[in-house]
Amino acid sequence: MTSQASNPKTDATVANVQTVLNEHPFSGYQWVIFALCFFIVLLDGFDTAAIGYIAPSLLGEWGLAKADLAPVLSAALFGLAAGAMSSGPLADKFGRKAVLVGSVLVFAVACLASGYTHDLTSMTAWRFVTGLGLGAAMPNAVTLMSEYCPENRRATITNAMFCGFPLGAAFGGFLAAWMIPHFGWRSVLHLGGIAPLVLLVLLVLLLPESVRYMVGKGYSADRIRKPLTRIAGNAVQHVQKFVMTENKAAVEGKSGMGVVLSKQYRVGTVMLWIAYFMGLVIFYALMNWMPVLFKEGGLDPKTATLVAALFPLGGVGAVFFGWLMDRFNANRIIAVGYALTAVSIWWIGQEAGNLGWLVVSVFVAGTIMNTAQSSMPALAAAFYPTSGRATGVAWMLGIGRFGGIAGSFLVAELTVRNLGFSQIFAVVAIPGLIAAAALIIKQLATPKAER
């Protein structure tokens, strides 16, 4: 503090950790954290989608009927929900890093083990365990990343990290198409286990605990200073006490779940659950049924599959939405995205028999829908205080998984009732309007929680 370069804001003996993050450029160390979380989510996407890529091989090698695959295909979904909903409270109690390392270890070992199974029962059991790990990893990666971001770039950076999931799923498809003919279907599961085990070593060595979590739990100043020094350099060398201010209503003496369901956050929590649930109703309804619906609408099977494959490609648009969320009202931005999703899905139903416009409508709908849905974890992370953030994000993702299950049954029921092509897409569009309405209600109920 004796040099001319000293700064009372940085040389003070007390420092706010979020102020430190806000006032310094996004450092190389923060990019390391970003990369580690990105690869967690990327491998999450790869392992989640892996069973779909090997399903045709299972049918042939094990002599199964398509209906026999239902348990193994749904096992991971139930595991994902259970893993997400149990991991959030654990992360708010024991730390983000510990739960992340544990969840990556679980899905790595389980995916690797599933590659050595020889019957459907064993495969189903290991896919459920894989889902537990996958479900726990994603929300905690989102939470830890958001807690190392400056406030004015939090949504952009978190959304960019979350793009690893669709990229991992898409990359897995191309890789599986090459690996299965050369090395067999088991090689896909072996890779899905070995890659996260390699990543696990890097997580143990390089990934820090959240500074906001450490302050909230009363960790020593020396321990908190260690990662902050790699971000702010000598600016925190004189700090003897780190504090944290929340721009969210404080809930004292409650667990993560107690915070999420407290009076201050209850309405917003339920609205987040509804919005994410409805988004996955749309996503899984269309992903599972579009090829069938397009085939019944007059397309040949190959063309129907290729057109349907355009739908999940637009998730990287979440980076643009993150930029908007950092500058404007995030609830309203995503609500508009869901409303436009409803319109664009209705549009798909109007283009039966018109291949050119059908391609355009599917791509536009997929871009808008995936952009809105991929922005939801960042919205949830910004909504909750540190003491309930991991639980809030995890439970939203966990509840949403049941929307995926509901979406598959929804279209099945509509086809049983003999609804036509345009009518089915009109019904599937309705959850988009419900999701938009839920976010508007969240905004009105908690007007100060703008992100």
Side-chain angles (χ1 to χ4, degrees), residues 151-160 316-338 340 367-368 371-372 375 378-379 382 443 450-451:
E151 289 176 318
N152 64 349
R153 297 174 64 190
R154 180 173 289 148
T156 304
I157 294 168
T158 305
N159 279 14
V316 292
V319 178
F320 174 63
F321 254 38
W323 182 85
L324 292 175
M325 290 163 65
D326 282 329
R327 287 155 179 79
F328 305 103
N329 186 287
N331 292 313
R332 293 171 183 161
I333 292 294
I334 304 177
V336 169
Y338 278 125
L340 293 175
T367 298
I368 298 172
T371 293
S375 301
L379 183 71
Q443 173 62 30
E450 297 187 16
R451 294 196 295 166

Side-chain angles (χ1 to χ4, degrees), residues 24-40:
H24 291 85
F26 202 76
S27 66
Y29 186 58
Q30 286 162 295
W31 282 118
V32 170
I33 298 170
F34 174 92
L36 291 172
C37 291
F38 178 87
F39 280 110
I40 291 171

Side-chain angles (χ1 to χ4, degrees), residues 96-398:
R96 286 55 163 134
K97 179 176 179 176
V99 175
L100 262 177
V101 169
S103 61
V104 172
L105 177 62
V106 168
F107 80 71
V109 171
C111 191
L112 189 62
S114 64
Y116 292 97
T117 57
H118 295 278
D119 61 84
L120 202 59
T121 301
S122 299
M123 176 67 80
T124 300
W126 281 117
R127 285 303 296 173
F128 177 79
V129 177
T130 302
L132 287 174
L134 295 172
M138 185 187 297
N140 285 290
V142 171
T143 299
L144 191 144
M145 185 71 253
S146 72
E147 292 179 340
Y148 269 102
C149 289
E151 289 176 318
N152 64 349
R153 297 174 64 190
R154 180 173 289 148
T156 304
I157 294 168
T158 305
N159 279 14
M161 184 273 293
F162 197 75
C163 287
F165 185 84
L167 290 176
F171 174 71
F174 293 115
L175 199 57
W178 174 75
M179 291 180 68
I180 292 173
H182 288 84
F183 308 107
W185 61 267
R186 296 179 188 276
S187 64
V188 177
L189 298 176
H190 293 160
L191 178 63
I194 294 170
L197 286 176
V198 174
L199 178 63
L200 189 66
V201 177
L202 298 177
L203 295 179
V204 171
L205 295 176
L206 301 177
L207 189 69
E209 181 56 87
S210 160
V211 286
R212 295 185 67 87
Y213 174 84
M214 288 193 286
V215 172
K217 291 295 184 179
Y219 282 46
S220 69
D222 288 340
R223 187 164 178 184
I224 298 169
R225 187 185 299 107
K226 186 175 180 180
L228 285 178
T229 299
R230 302 188 67 175
I231 295 170
N234 292 331
V236 294
Q237 64 179 333
H238 300 293
V239 176
Q240 299 302 313
K241 181 180 180 181
F242 291 94
V243 297
M244 174 179 63
T245 56
E246 298 273 11
N247 59 356
K248 309 296 177 186
V251 183
E252 299 295 338
K254 289 195 175 183
S255 64
M257 202 66 217
V259 172
V260 168
L261 295 178
S262 65
K263 183 179 179 181
Q264 298 97 313
Y265 295 100
R266 190 178 303 143
V267 173
T269 290
V270 174
M271 293 304 108
L272 285 170
W273 291 356
I274 290 173
Y276 200 76
F277 180 97
M278 291 298 167
L280 287 189
V281 167
I282 295 171
F283 182 81
Y284 281 94
L286 297 186
M287 284 298 297
N288 290 339
W289 285 96
M290 269 199 298
V292 175
L293 295 174
F294 290 163
K295 180 182 176 183
E296 293 177 350
L299 298 182
D300 65 85
K302 182 179 179 180
T303 303
T305 300
L306 290 174
V307 174
L310 296 172
F311 186 76
L313 293 181
V316 292
V319 178
F320 174 63
F321 254 38
W323 182 85
L324 292 175
M325 290 163 65
D326 282 329
R327 287 155 179 79
F328 305 103
N329 186 287
N331 292 313
R332 293 171 183 161
I333 292 294
I334 304 177
V336 169
Y338 278 125
L340 293 175
T341 294
V343 173
S344 60
I345 289 171
W346 171 85
W347 179 26
I348 295 174
Q350 309 307 305
E351 301 302 335
N354 188 335
L355 181 59
W357 282 112
L358 185 65
V359 168
V360 173
S361 64
V362 169
F363 181 74
V364 169
T367 298
I368 298 172
M369 189 273 148
N370 285 289
T371 293
Q373 192 72 5
S374 296
S375 301
M376 287 292 292
L379 183 71
F383 177 61
Y384 295 106
T386 301
S387 57
R389 182 169 293 118
T391 298
V393 175
W395 268 71
M396 183 192 75
L397 294 176

